[in-house]
Amino acid sequence: MTDANFISQADALELIGRKDVAFVDGSWYLPAQERDGHAEYRQMRIPGAVYFDIDSISDQASNLPHMLPTPDQFAQKVSLMGIADDDLIIVYDGPGLFSAPRVWWTFKTMGAIDVRILDGGLDQWKSNNLPLETGNPNPRRAKLFSANFAGNKVASIEDVIQASKSGNPVVLDARPSARFAGKAPEPRPGLRGGHIPGSKNLPANTVIENGRLKSSAELKKLFESLDLKPSTPIITSCGSGVTAAILALALDAVGYDHVKVYDGSWAEWGLPEGPEIETDDSE
């Protein structure tokens, strides 16, 4: 798919070594995927790439997984990684579209000017026999990232409680349908099963095909089937705020301008002491 949030492998290849371009490996996986993003990065990466660990570049004071850090915390960490807010930031993950959208959304939320996702990801890069770097990575020279937090991209639990009661914004859940229905267990222990009352379900894998977003026509059809218009305010949610960013990316690709990501997602809502839930049995 061609979109302003993506960059082709051929175009990215031409930018390797540029001082105003930062390649960022944002690979992160669920335990069931049996892949270690950081280990794979240390073994092999796009030349000059740095690793963005969504678990360490997060709010370390929160008990919830990989919550956004404060803008100051984010700026300090990525500055030391050698990334400036006015660099062209090229984010990738292994399969193409799993954790890279979360890293894309995080940089955009913190005020980065130009963030692209590598079309096809590192797995496709390898298949194309494009240059790779092995051995210990060389650190980039520190730069200055001036954070400019975009609060209109983030939803809090209070926002979602209000949306659940009123139906505005629409809450769109990216989890698999069985988990949404409360018929499959959550991968994180201790969470209740079900979904946010009034929310709609669009599993993240339904907007992806072969590691890329589906065509604009297919995406529009999916969103319209849920009565979502480009002007509809939407909050995307998922298990812990990662695949919710995939839906945010897909919505952005076809002109949906009023989209927030619920950072806490089901990791927060599904806690035993969390707000009311619904299951298929309760509806």
Side-chain angles (χ1 to χ4, degrees):
M1 173 167 186
T2 301
D3 177 77
N5 291 318
F6 290 86
I7 186 168
S8 72
Q9 303 229 338
D11 287 346
L13 178 63
E14 297 299 316
L15 296 173
I16 291 175
R18 285 261 303 261
K19 292 183 178 180
D20 57 348
V21 177
F23 283 86
V24 178
D25 187 330
S27 299
W28 176 90
Y29 301 100
L30 294 167
Q33 293 170 287
E34 297 182 340
R35 295 181 66 170
D36 184 329
H38 201 180
E40 291 183 18
Y41 164 79
R42 291 194 301 268
Q43 182 181 38
M44 192 174 295
R45 61 201 160 270
I46 292 176
V50 296
Y51 185 71
F52 187 103
D53 187 335
I54 67 171
D55 287 319
S56 67
I57 304 176
S58 66
D59 180 1
Q60 298 298 302
S62 174
N63 292 324
L64 299 172
H66 38 254
M67 293 287 286
L68 284 175
T70 67
D72 286 347
Q73 290 168 340
F74 181 87
Q76 182 180 22
K77 291 207 172 189
V78 299
S79 294
L80 291 173
M81 290 166 61
I83 303 173
D85 51 286
D86 58 354
D87 281 343
L88 169 56
I89 301 169
I90 301 174
V91 179
Y92 67 87
D93 62 27
L97 279 181
F98 183 66
S99 56
R102 169 72 189 200
V103 180
W104 163 84
W105 173 78
T106 300
F107 271 106
K108 297 287 284 186
T109 300
M110 294 296 177
I113 295 168
D114 193 355
V115 190
R116 313 288 181 90
I117 295 173
L118 178 65
D119 186 39
L122 187 63
D123 291 349
Q124 186 64 51
W125 185 274
K126 292 177 182 177
S127 296
N128 292 338
N129 294 314
L130 297 177
L132 291 164
E133 179 180 82
T134 59
N136 292 326
N138 293 316
R140 288 169 60 92
R141 184 187 296 270
K143 290 187 175 183
L144 177 62
F145 190 103
S146 297
N148 183 18
F149 184 68
N152 64 337
K153 295 182 182 296
V154 187
S156 67
I157 191 169
E158 291 78 16
D159 295 328
V160 183
I161 289 171
Q162 183 277 324
S164 173
K165 292 176 180 177
S166 68
N168 183 31
V170 174
V171 179
L172 192 59
D173 193 322
R175 291 176 302 152
S177 57
R179 286 169 57 193
F180 180 84
K183 294 182 176 179
E186 288 296 310
R188 289 179 177 81
L191 297 180
R192 298 171 293 166
H195 57 266
I196 296 165
S199 61
K200 299 184 178 186
N201 186 215
L202 185 63
N205 62 5
T206 61
V207 304
I208 298 172
E209 190 168 25
N210 298 322
R212 295 178 168 90
L213 284 183
K214 289 183 175 179
S215 70
S216 293
E218 290 173 299
L219 293 176
K220 288 177 182 178
K221 186 176 180 180
L222 280 170
F223 298 139
E224 289 169 1
S225 72
L226 295 172
D227 296 322
L228 301 175
K229 300 178 176 62
S231 59
T232 303
I234 299 168
I235 296 172
T236 65
S237 182
C238 62
S240 65
V242 175
T243 58
I246 297 175
L247 293 187
L249 176 70
L251 287 159
D252 186 82
V254 290
Y256 285 68
D257 297 327
H258 308 287
V259 180
K260 296 182 178 184
V261 170
Y262 174 24
D263 197 18
S265 284
W266 199 254
E268 182 175 36
W269 194 282
L271 289 169
E273 68 276 15
E276 179 185 358
I277 65 169
E278 284 181 346
T279 65
D280 273 6
D281 294 334
S282 64
E283 295 174 298

